[in-house]
């Protein structure tokens, strides 16, 4: 029960993030936490709490296995357009094709992908 107390915040965060099929069990001094995250954001929040409890992941008293549910929303990174940027240049920096970035940002860019503006925040898909 001591491990469940130690990791109570982690379990409650998993519940709050909508982790499906959440299973928490203790076996031979190790707490196992399994489930499926509805998004990478939810999964990342669980891992942030785990890292707060065990910053170096060295305690060895918990195994967290949160997978991404099939069809879950992929994570994206935000990028603020700077002077001299183009979708090609941004794409190259993130290892993406400019078309992927354009498709993820049509609502911001509109129908002219070669006319991005300084200060726009673009989503860079994972």
């Amino acid at each position: 029960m001591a491990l469940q107390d130690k990791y109570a915040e982690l379990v409650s965060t998993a519940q709050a993030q909508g982790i499906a099929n959440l299973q928490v069990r203790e076996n031979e001094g190790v707490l196992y936490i399994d489930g499926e995250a509805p998004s990478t954001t939810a999964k990342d929040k669980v891992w942030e709490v785990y890292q707060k409890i065990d910053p170096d992941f060295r305690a060895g008293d918990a195994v967290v296995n949160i997978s991404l549910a099939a069809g879950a929303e992929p994570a994206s990174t935000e990028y603020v357009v700077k002077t001299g940027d183009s979708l090609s240049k941004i794409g190259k920096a993130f290892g993406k094709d400019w078309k992927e970035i354009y498709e993820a940002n049509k609502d911001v860019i509109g129908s002219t992908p070669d006319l991005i503006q300084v200060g726009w925040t673009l989503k860079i898909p994972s």
Side-chain angles (χ1 to χ4, degrees), residues 98-109:
W98 72 268
K99 293 176 189 173
E100 289 179 78
I101 298 170
Y102 173 65
E103 289 298 322
N105 293 281
K106 277 186 174 180
D107 57 328
V108 175
I109 298 171

Side-chain angles (χ1 to χ4, degrees), residues 7-70:
Y7 292 101
E9 182 183 1
L10 180 63
V11 173
S12 66
T13 299
Q15 292 168 334
Q17 292 301 315
I19 304 300
N21 304 318
L22 183 63
Q23 297 177 19
V24 180
R25 65 196 182 290
E26 191 170 335
N27 186 18
E28 297 182 11
V30 177
L31 188 68
Y32 294 87
I33 302 171
D34 302 297
E36 292 183 337
S39 68
T40 53
T41 302
K43 184 177 178 178
D44 290 346
K45 287 188 188 284
V46 172
W47 279 99
E48 286 170 14
V49 171
Y50 184 31
Q51 187 172 18
K52 185 172 88 174
I53 296 169
D54 185 7
D56 297 323
F57 303 112
R58 291 186 184 196
D61 59 357
V63 174
V64 179
N65 184 22
I66 304 294
S67 60
L68 198 55

